Amino acid sequence: MAQFTAPCPPREGDISRRSVLQGAVALGALGPVRAADVVPHAAIAVDHKSQVSKPMTSYIGTATSRIDGHAKVTGGAKYAAEFNVPGLVHAFVVASTIAKGRILRIDASEALRVEGVIDVLTHEKRPRMADTDQAYKDDVAPEGTPFRPLYDGRILFNGQPVALVLAERWEIARLAASLVHVEYEQEAHVTDPYRQREAAFVLPEPAKSRGNAAEAFAAADVRHQGEYHVPIEHHNPMEPFASTVTWDGGGKLTVYDKTQGVQNVQRYVCSIFDMNPDDVRVVSPFVGGAFGSGLRPQYQVVLAVLAARALERSVRLVLTRQQMYSLGYRPAMIQRIELGATTGGTLNAITHDAITVTSQYEDFYRNETTWSGLLYKSANAQYTHKLTRLDLPTSCDMRGPSATTGVYALESAMDELAVALSLDPLELRLRCYSDRDQNNGDVPFSSKNLRECYRQGAEMFGWEKRNREPRSMRDGSELVGWGMATGVWEALQVPITVRIKLTANGHAEVACATSDIGTGTYTIMAQVAADALGLPLDNISIKLGDSTLPQSPVEGGSWIAASVSNGIVTTSNAIREELLRLAKRVPDSPFANATSDEVALADGRLVSRLDASRAISIADVMRVGAVDRIEQEKSTSFANDGKHAHNAHSALFAEVKVDEQLSVIRVTRIVSAVAAGRILNPKTAHSQVMGGVVWGIGMALHEETLIDHKFGRIMNANIAEYHVPVNADVHDIKVIFVEEQDHIVNPLGIKGLGEIGLVGVAAAIANAIYHATGKRVRDLPITLDKLQR
Amino acid sequence: MINFHYSRASDVADAVQQIRADPAAKFIAGGTNLLDLMKEDVERPSLLIDITRLPLKTVGETAGGGVRIGALVPNSDFSYHPLIEQRYPVVSSAIRAGASQQLRNMASTGGNLLQRTRCAYFYDTVTPCNKRTPGSGCSAINGINRGHAILGTSEACIATHPSDMCVALLALEATVHVAGPKGERAIAIADFHRLPGDTPQRDTNLDRDEIIIAIELPAQGFAKNYTYLKIRDRLSYAFALVSVAVGLEMDGGTIRQARLALGGVAHKPWRDFAAEAALNGQVASPETFRRAADVLLRDAKGFAHNTFKIELARQAAMRALTQAANGTPQSQSNKKIA
Amino acid sequence: MTQNNTVAKTRNNISVALVVNGTGQRFSVAPWTTLLDALRDQLDLTGTKKGCDHGQCGACTVLVDGRRVNSCLTLVVMKDGAEVTTIEGLAPSGGLHPLQQAFIDHDAFQCGYCTPGQICSAAGLIAEGKAKTDDEIRELMSGNLCRCAAYPNIVAAIRQAMSVMVEKP
């Protein structure tokens, strides 16, 4: 089958994509709404308003098993390191052992003497690479000077690749890598955020402050202030970062890469190596988890391409688990919150200050602070964000970036305020409930059913049985704690292009260069297409994860479900219009005078919305039109009307049991009630939120990257000592999707689920631990030693 | 991982002969710890002598009423063997508290005794470590030492022994049977592992040309009143911060004989006769347990990040004694502390 | 299958016979080749995953002589004569093993990378017969990390498969 090859898409939208990630208030214009492409709900088989006929099937909203499930349970799904080609060269990275300085000398002679070693690339011995910062800026790069692997002798962080061994077998490359001797000139490094606290510099105001928070705080009846610490965390997707680059002849490359954005990688590779976009195809059909770590192209893809070009052979490079700790991470964070309230429990002052960390060469940050004044009503709010530099790689997005950490601090502080007010923490949230986005022009939300999240979540959890006194509830030797918190995320959308090929036999292929990183994109795309085209789910095939497919930005920020689903509807509308055009040629066509809005696709037929008996099968339309297929490719953009805030919300209720004597903590129950617009697939949606909740357990109790600041090295760069939850840590998790119809956020009313499941969870658990023990721990993770004494 | 020679031992004598012939050779059985360390270039054997075909895979009763477990019996089989479950449940429980079922299926009984420390500096060849490179210094003493030892440390090393199984074996006074060029000998488990002193590179008193052939458990199994309580940073598949093995012989409410051993706190599984003496002949009571725990931890010394372990170990010992005395041993699947 | 009980000291490749997914294979491997790397690189059985290469994640779990092990810490030369079952060979030709079906039914995965190891581990767990309760399943499946955190669904899937396999042994 012929592949449509898209030219390297223009980089329009880059700025807005970057800015939307800056936080809730920075939703920039994302381009004009093209109303013709976005007909609300019309394509969902039959519009409910027409009341003409009900669709035979409605996949949207129906629990549906993953269409890629069979491939995943049989081992058939291939990930980046699993494309085996003859004559593959195996690469292995030699990593720096100092955190800062420069390379004096690299002696690869011993490595080169190992039988089976082909070459050792270093900054002194490598093919040409671009020499401008701009060339290394990927779609989602922060401001600064991007890292260039094997570019020069500067050492910017421990674990930095300094040489690349190329060998006929992986084991040989690994052995030879241990025989490459590197001499350094070491410089003093700093990796401790607390030592660099005073060196932090102020970033532009994250959002316009309102009123005078300091004065209001000073005058408040009841005050709480606290400092909350979050350590560096690493994503640790199960699949290691890997690239298999096949040398296809004539300088053409196919790059099988672990990434959340095939086209981002393609542009990046083309830019660094000055290659023609037609000569670089990036493919990533399956991604073994990424959680933000795959948003930016990682250095292994540069090195694998570099090696393939040097040898003119196919090359695979897989990072070891340890080497993955030299990629990005969730920045360590020091947050200060001040809340001033009336005795009645309404907020009048919010101050949220954050210090986060980044590398010496790029300024990565998101807006932790502004969630506070978005989530709760307060006449006075002030935000300050400072950034401090460490001799580490650049920090990066990690699941729910900014909200996960910012809301942890806020929701811990709110719990403390509730204690100070002698008020039920849920009641405090209700008294501070905000129906408007005060950060951003005091506009209403497109929809916000958080109140119902609180209600349904509390009811399922049994919150009303809670005794407010800490240490008041117990189960034998265990103290029982119940805590709650709120979650919030932004409902984002990005410009996207979808191609649909409908054939006369009623099968459709839906194609878009987005990714499925485990979120279920394959399946929801098929569900939406099946409904929009009026076809059985089994008749839909999905192509994604290939840079030659129609344009998609990186998959992140929970924006792909909304973007690609509405994109499918747009393209399906075009398919329907084309079918209608052909149907008018049918002798005595029932659609002779029908407009596009008056017809729908259902059961493999074009059907009148006004009279269901007027219908023609797709096969008949195509026969009359003398075509065997209809192909349409349409782009969909979105624009915030500026009159509404777009957010998803959640309410979290957690039960912990803490052994009174030994402080062993067990998270026994969590209820997560989520309002995130339309839920496309309750089955995969449930998994996503449940996964987020477990991430929250990890964040609250386990996860912490430990750096020995003397050496500037991560000492738990593995997944035995970097603890993530195991099966035994996870018990009863209940997920509720609260009904939320939203006709403003986008035509299908989708808000996305990738992040919201995690936001707020750590605070709910921390608050439950306080309630159980009476001990407030303000630095994560809450390991049992912090509860002692 | 370096390239190494490989050979198979045909019998115990051959194994001993092969290891004598090559000072940098190592035996391999389960490989779960050795291969891990080889991949980190911490272990760099010239030769791996595969001993998995040796006839050391049986569990059987001894003439003296004990049970002898072949050195190649996988940890999982050891744990689930009916004789062990019935007569030495503290060993069954301790084994199940360690690693994962996959690893327990692979790991051998002998290999479990020879596990090396999980100290991060030992694993990272970039940092100084006296255990890995004698004389290079101990990075943990002034580094990240939350998981490190509080008892029996030296200026050269504050690493801990990671085994769970060995803590229970110590409590039961197991014997390690080894074979060497001079024939077989028996080593009491208490004498098998070493404190670091100024030779932290040596974990055990096994000579390098000796091979473990069996573990022997004496008749007394403390099957009625026992527990293995492990405290860690997540609820499974993590190394102990502190663990406690307890066996009690009760006479009504009085402790006739007590065994008490700690894991995760020292360079070897830790047992203290004085602490047991504080229990023997006493009425089982919180006060008795507190006194014994105080004795057990009397010489404990913490470092920057691990002083919490002293109180944790004290409390865990008291709790474990309570569990054992009450006949309510800690479950390894129900994570509520009994 | 023939196997050598004695191998004289060598650094050269050694001929090894394995039955992999029911098919006898004889191939030549260097002593330092792990079962995981041999499966993925030499036999193109990439269903078995490398997640950590150190026995810390369980993604590489396969059945050797019916028992679940971490193939990343298993040297091929030591398994001469063994029977190996990977995710590709768990079900009879073409069909799905009850565990595979149950994992789909319960959405017991997201990204799918840990899934073959989870399923092989669960097959080992069921064969061991030691897990009766959810707590026991959780504990005995704790050697298989799932960063997408499908754990409760994994437990549900294993329970389903257990009941199916009891009905149809």
Side-chain angles (χ1 to χ4, degrees):
Chain A
M1 186 193 53
Q3 280 289 340
F4 171 79
T5 305
C8 245
R11 299 179 69 146
E12 63 181 325
D14 285 5
I15 292 162
S16 48
R17 277 204 294 284
R18 276 203 288 275
S19 67
V20 291
L21 267 172
Q22 295 295 347
V25 297
L27 232 184
L30 288 165
V33 174
R34 295 160 69 172
D37 292 343
V38 189
V39 179
H41 295 257
I44 312 262
V46 175
D47 190 327
H48 64 278
K49 281 178 287 186
S50 67
Q51 297 182 338
V52 175
S53 68
K54 286 189 175 166
M56 284 294 287
T57 53
S58 183
Y59 295 103
I60 293 177
T62 301
T64 305
S65 293
R66 285 170 206 268
I67 65 169
D68 51 339
H70 189 277
K72 285 177 173 172
V73 301
T74 56
K78 284 208 179 284
Y79 299 80
E82 297 171 353
F83 293 85
N84 288 331
V85 295
L88 193 64
V89 174
H90 295 265
F92 201 95
V93 166
V94 180
S96 76
T97 56
I98 65 165
K100 188 177 186 181
R102 67 187 183 94
I103 299 168
L104 293 176
R105 210 165 288 104
I106 298 182
D107 178 3
S109 55
E110 194 182 350
L112 286 164
R113 282 198 295 274
V114 176
E115 191 184 334
V117 170
I118 301 163
D119 206 350
V120 176
L121 304 183
T122 69
H123 67 282
E124 292 168 329
K125 184 170 175 294
R126 57 155 174 81
R128 212 188 79 76
M129 300 161 71
D131 57 5
T132 65
D133 286 343
Q134 192 54 40
Y136 292 83
K137 288 226 181 224
D138 68 277
D139 290 359
V140 289
E143 292 305 308
T145 302
F147 174 61
R148 308 176 189 180
L150 294 194
Y151 185 80
D152 59 22
R154 292 281 308 152
I155 299 300
L156 299 165
F157 54 89
N158 224 316
Q160 176 181 325
V162 294
L164 188 71
V165 177
L166 306 172
E168 300 292 350
R169 293 200 53 76
W170 179 74
E171 293 90 341
I172 294 169
R174 177 181 59 184
L175 165 69
S178 71
L179 303 175
V180 174
H181 306 290
V182 186
E183 271 182 61
Y184 301 98
E185 181 178 78
Q186 196 164 351
E187 294 169 33
H189 62 256
V190 57
T191 52
D192 184 352
Y194 295 93
R195 279 190 58 188
Q196 285 305 92
R197 190 177 174 149
E198 300 310 317
F201 57 94
V202 179
L203 293 165
E205 199 176 34
K208 199 170 174 303
S209 296
R210 54 182 183 262
N212 186 327
E215 272 181 21
F217 180 75
D221 298 336
V222 180
R223 289 187 288 270
H224 166 71
Q225 52 185 321
E227 185 171 294
Y228 302 87
H229 297 170
V230 180
I232 287 178
E233 298 171 354
H234 276 82
H235 311 71
N236 274 306
M238 294 309 299
E239 181 200 13
F241 270 83
S243 304
T244 303
V245 178
T246 66
W247 183 260
D248 300 339
K252 286 182 185 284
L253 303 176
T254 303
V255 181
Y256 299 94
D257 192 38
K258 177 184 176 74
T259 177
Q260 293 173 247
V262 283
Q263 292 178 334
N264 187 23
V265 172
Q266 188 217 28
R267 283 188 282 275
Y268 178 72
V269 167
C270 287
S271 167
I272 292 171
F273 295 102
D274 194 21
M275 292 179 76
N276 185 326
D278 289 340
D279 292 344
V280 180
R281 178 180 171 198
V282 181
V283 181
S284 182
F286 292 99
V287 180
F291 312 108
S293 62
L295 288 169
R296 301 186 66 185
Q298 298 295 355
Y299 64 72
Q300 94 286 342
V301 73
V302 179
L303 297 180
V305 171
L306 188 74
R309 286 167 62 85
L311 302 182
E312 301 197 347
R313 286 179 65 178
S314 301
V315 174
R316 172 177 301 151
L317 173 57
V318 186
L319 299 189
T320 64
R321 178 60 54 180
Q322 182 180 355
Q323 288 166 350
M324 284 169 64
Y325 286 79
S326 63
L327 307 177
Y329 51 88
R330 191 193 296 286
M333 221 161 284
I334 304 166
Q335 297 180 80
R336 231 181 118 263
I337 293 200
E338 290 180 354
L339 301 174
T342 64
T343 48
T346 57
L347 280 170
N348 197 35
I350 298 174
T351 300
H352 193 155
D353 299 339
I355 302 173
T356 62
V357 306
T358 189
S359 65
Q360 300 288 359
Y361 50 90
E362 282 176 316
D363 292 351
F364 175 84
Y365 60 95
R366 301 290 180 220
N367 289 339
E368 273 66 29
T369 58
T370 55
W371 300 103
S372 294
L374 172 75
L375 200 44
Y376 297 115
K377 190 172 171 180
S378 173
N380 302 285
Q382 186 177 331
Y383 318 108
T384 312
H385 193 147
K386 293 181 183 174
L387 192 61
T388 197
R389 298 185 186 287
L390 299 175
D391 294 301
L392 293 174
T394 305
S395 49
C396 75
D397 289 308
M398 179 163 157
R399 199 169 195 177
S402 79
T404 296
T405 43
V407 172
Y408 154 69
L410 170 69
E411 287 297 275
S412 299
M414 285 293 280
D415 199 66
E416 298 201 54
L417 181 65
V419 171
L421 284 161
S422 298
L423 199 61
D424 178 276
L426 175 55
E427 178 59 29
L428 174 64
R429 266 71 169 192
L430 292 170
R431 291 186 193 179
C432 299
Y433 198 88
S434 179
D435 288 308
R436 303 180 75 80
D437 176 0
Q438 291 180 290
N439 278 340
N440 206 15
D442 200 25
V443 295
F445 293 90
S446 62
S447 60
K448 178 175 177 177
N449 215 357
L450 175 59
R451 234 182 256 284
E452 194 57 18
C453 295
Y454 288 136
R455 196 189 66 75
Q456 290 186 27
E459 185 178 298
M460 177 173 279
F461 187 84
W463 184 257
E464 80 283 357
K465 298 191 201 82
R466 181 178 186 263
N467 183 327
R468 217 165 60 218
E469 279 303 303
R471 300 181 68 89
S472 62
M473 295 164 62
R474 63 167 60 234
D475 173 11
S477 54
E478 290 178 317
L479 299 164
V480 177
W482 287 4
M484 60 83 56
T486 314
V488 58
W489 185 248
E490 192 173 11
L492 300 163
Q493 291 135 58
V494 288
I496 205 162
T497 306
V498 172
R499 184 181 68 225
I500 298 178
K501 206 183 292 176
L502 177 68
T503 48
N505 62 0
H507 285 250
E509 177 193 282
V510 181
C512 175
T514 185
S515 307
D516 185 337
I517 57 173
T519 46
T521 311
Y522 275 110
T523 309
I524 58 134
M525 283 176 71
Q527 290 175 272
V528 173
D531 278 356
L533 296 167
L535 296 173
L537 190 70
D538 289 347
N539 287 17
I540 309 292
S541 63
I542 303 297
K543 293 180 87 170
L544 53 71
D546 184 335
S547 63
T548 61
L549 300 175
Q551 176 279 133
S552 171
V554 293
E555 174 164 42
S558 298
W559 59 49
I560 283 298
S563 305
V564 79
S565 297
N566 284 288
I568 289 168
V569 170
T570 300
T571 309
S572 298
N573 287 345
I575 294 269
R576 194 186 66 228
E577 282 172 21
E578 179 61 11
L579 280 168
L580 177 62
R581 194 180 66 78
L582 297 177
K584 288 176 191 284
R585 296 189 197 164
V586 173
D588 302 321
S589 172
F591 301 117
N593 299 312
T595 66
S596 170
D597 292 346
E598 289 167 5
V599 295
L601 291 170
D603 310 332
R605 302 175 309 162
L606 194 62
V607 186
S608 168
R609 292 175 186 278
L610 308 172
D611 174 2
S613 69
R614 286 154 58 187
I616 312 179
S617 74
I618 289 171
D620 287 344
V621 174
M622 289 206 195
R623 196 173 58 246
V624 170
V627 295
D628 60 0
R629 65 169 70 174
I630 291 174
E631 185 170 324
Q632 292 286 335
E633 180 172 322
K634 293 288 173 194
S635 297
T636 309
S637 298
F638 302 88
N640 191 333
D641 61 8
K643 295 174 186 158
H644 297 90
H646 299 172
N647 292 90
H649 293 87
S650 65
L652 285 311
F653 298 86
E655 175 183 271
V656 300
K657 294 188 176 177
V658 183
D659 187 86
E660 188 173 15
Q661 183 176 24
L662 299 171
S663 301
V664 171
I665 305 163
R666 303 189 299 132
V667 179
T668 45
R669 281 198 300 142
I670 289 188
V671 172
S672 173
V674 175
R678 183 193 292 270
I679 303 306
L680 293 166
N681 184 348
K683 189 169 189 170
T684 53
H686 180 276
S687 293
Q688 252 186 311
V689 172
M690 188 177 71
V693 167
V694 176
W695 269 60
I697 295 173
M699 180 181 177
L701 303 184
H702 305 135
E703 295 192 40
E704 179 175 20
T705 299
L706 295 167
I707 299 174
D708 183 313
H709 300 302
K710 179 182 168 194
F711 300 107
R713 281 177 79 76
I714 295 171
M715 296 314 297
N716 61 343
N718 58 64
I719 38 179
E721 310 292 343
Y722 181 102
H723 293 130
V724 299
V726 297
N727 208 318
D729 290 298
V730 180
H731 285 256
D732 182 6
I733 297 174
K734 291 206 165 57
V735 178
I736 301 169
F737 290 110
V738 168
E739 174 94 19
E740 193 175 68
Q741 290 187 14
D742 190 328
H743 301 289
I744 298 167
V745 67
N746 55 53
L748 287 175
I750 301 163
K751 290 184 173 177
L753 286 170
E755 334 292 324
I756 188 66
L758 167 58
V759 181
V761 178
I765 293 170
N767 296 341
I769 290 171
Y770 167 77
H771 182 238
T773 64
K775 174 127 186 152
R776 182 71 66 175
V777 179
R778 299 187 185 87
D779 66 318
L780 299 182
I782 305 176
T783 48
L784 58 86
D785 47 305
K786 295 177 185 173
L787 292 178
Q788 281 197 330
R789 292 182 299 270
Chain B
M1 183 155 78
I2 65 164
N3 288 357
F4 52 86
H5 288 84
Y6 170 79
S7 69
R8 282 182 201 148
S10 53
D11 54 34
V12 170
D14 179 42
V16 170
Q17 195 181 344
Q18 286 199 41
I19 203 150
R20 290 196 79 189
D22 185 343
K26 289 231 168 222
F27 294 128
I28 184 164
T32 53
N33 190 217
L34 180 56
L35 285 172
D36 177 27
L37 289 165
M38 286 170 66
K39 288 179 179 189
E40 300 284 1
D41 282 324
V42 173
E43 296 279 10
R44 304 168 64 84
S46 59
L47 164 67
L48 287 187
I49 304 162
D50 178 355
I51 57 169
T52 55
R53 284 164 171 77
L54 302 185
L56 306 171
K57 294 170 186 164
T58 55
V59 177
E61 294 183 81
T62 63
V67 172
R68 185 178 164 113
I69 302 96
L72 291 174
V73 173
N75 285 184
S76 50
D77 289 2
F78 188 178
S79 167
Y80 289 117
H81 196 284
L83 277 177
I84 306 302
E85 284 194 324
Q86 286 156 24
R87 290 170 51 181
Y88 309 99
V90 67
V91 178
S92 284
S93 183
I95 291 173
R96 284 173 216 177
S100 67
Q101 183 68 3
Q102 290 97 310
L103 290 167
R104 296 192 291 266
N105 280 340
M106 302 167 73
S108 67
T109 297
N112 192 315
L113 266 65
L114 298 176
Q115 277 185 84
R116 309 214 65 190
T117 184
R118 303 300 303 193
C119 173
Y121 301 96
F122 175 67
Y123 263 79
D124 184 355
T125 55
V126 171
T127 57
C129 168
N130 286 324
K131 183 182 279 297
R132 180 171 25 78
T133 311
S136 62
C138 174
S139 300
I141 282 185
N142 295 309
I144 296 169
N145 50 35
R146 183 168 173 275
H148 285 72
I150 52 172
L151 286 163
T153 55
S154 73
E155 285 179 12
C157 183
I158 61 169
T160 58
H161 192 264
S163 170
D164 292 295
M165 182 185 91
C166 293
V167 183
L169 294 184
L170 179 66
L172 294 187
E173 296 188 348
T175 302
V176 185
H177 292 280
V178 307
K182 288 175 244 163
E184 296 188 11
R185 66 175 177 132
I187 308 172
I189 184 81
D191 300 328
F192 187 81
H193 296 102
R194 296 164 56 96
L195 287 179
D198 53 9
T199 55
Q201 67 274 21
R202 285 201 69 188
D203 294 345
T204 72
N205 286 316
L206 186 73
D207 286 339
R208 74 154 303 280
D209 55 5
E210 287 181 312
I211 181 171
I212 300 172
I213 54 175
I215 300 291
E216 186 178 335
L217 293 168
Q220 193 177 12
F222 299 92
K224 272 206 186 109
N225 294 94
Y226 74 95
T227 196
Y228 187 74
L229 175 62
K230 180 176 182 179
I231 311 296
R232 46 190 153 180
D233 276 327
R234 63 184 175 194
L235 295 177
S236 184
Y237 205 17
F239 292 94
L241 293 166
V242 165
S243 69
V244 194
V246 176
L248 301 175
E249 282 294 330
M250 299 296 293
D251 184 359
T254 302
I255 301 166
R256 196 186 305 142
Q257 190 186 2
R259 298 284 176 76
L260 173 62
L262 292 179
V265 295
H267 195 261
K268 58 186 284 188
W270 191 262
R271 185 178 168 200
D272 187 325
F273 291 113
E276 291 175 10
L279 294 162
N280 292 338
Q282 302 296 311
V283 171
S285 71
E287 191 42 46
T288 302
F289 298 155
R290 184 183 316 279
R291 269 204 311 276
D294 285 347
V295 172
L296 187 62
L297 276 305
R298 67 190 183 282
D299 294 326
K301 172 189 167 217
F303 297 87
H305 307 126
N306 72 345
T307 48
F308 77 95
K309 275 191 172 188
I310 300 172
E311 184 59 19
L312 182 64
R314 201 191 321 264
Q315 296 294 337
M318 287 158 55
R319 186 64 162 275
L321 287 164
T322 307
Q323 291 178 344
N326 292 347
T328 54
Q330 180 60 43
S331 163
Q332 297 305 342
S333 50
N334 179 348
K335 301 299 176 176
K336 179 171 184 176
I337 309 289
Chain C
M1 286 287 147
T2 56
Q3 51 171 292
N4 297 325
N5 269 326
T6 54
V7 170
K9 176 175 167 178
T10 181
R11 261 166 99 151
N12 296 330
N13 280 11
I14 296 166
S15 174
V16 177
L18 291 180
V19 178
V20 180
N21 297 331
T23 306
Q25 306 264 5
R26 179 166 282 283
F27 54 112
S28 174
V29 289
W32 43 84
T33 308
T34 64
L35 179 58
L36 174 61
D37 291 327
L39 289 169
R40 286 170 65 85
D41 294 347
Q42 286 177 254
L43 302 181
D44 199 28
L45 291 172
T46 56
T48 306
K49 305 304 183 194
K50 183 181 283 190
C52 71
D53 214 21
H54 286 273
Q56 301 167 350
C57 78
C60 67
T61 303
V62 299
L63 301 169
V64 173
D65 295 330
R67 292 160 70 104
R68 47 177 165 157
V69 300
N70 300 100
S71 61
C72 73
L73 294 179
T74 303
L75 294 179
V76 179
V77 288
M78 294 175 66
K79 294 298 167 188
D80 193 14
E83 283 191 27
V84 178
T85 305
T86 71
I87 190 71
E88 292 93 342
L90 203 60
S93 58
L96 290 179
H97 185 278
L99 276 164
Q100 292 172 318
Q101 186 60 52
F103 268 60
I104 294 175
D105 293 346
H106 289 273
D107 206 35
F109 53 88
Q110 291 188 49
C111 79
Y113 197 79
C114 74
T115 310
Q118 298 276 1
I119 291 174
C120 286
S121 186
L125 170 131
I126 292 171
E128 289 154 11
K130 303 296 182 189
K132 309 276 189 251
T133 65
D134 283 359
D135 275 347
E136 286 163 350
I137 294 173
R138 285 185 195 110
E139 169 60 19
L140 290 170
M141 287 299 292
S142 283
N144 291 84
L145 304 189
C146 173
R147 188 55 159 157
C148 300
Y151 297 125
N153 293 357
I154 290 168
V155 174
I158 291 171
R159 287 197 78 94
Q160 174 179 313
M162 274 178 171
S163 63
V164 171
M165 290 166 76
V166 165
E167 284 162 22
K168 296 184 217 162

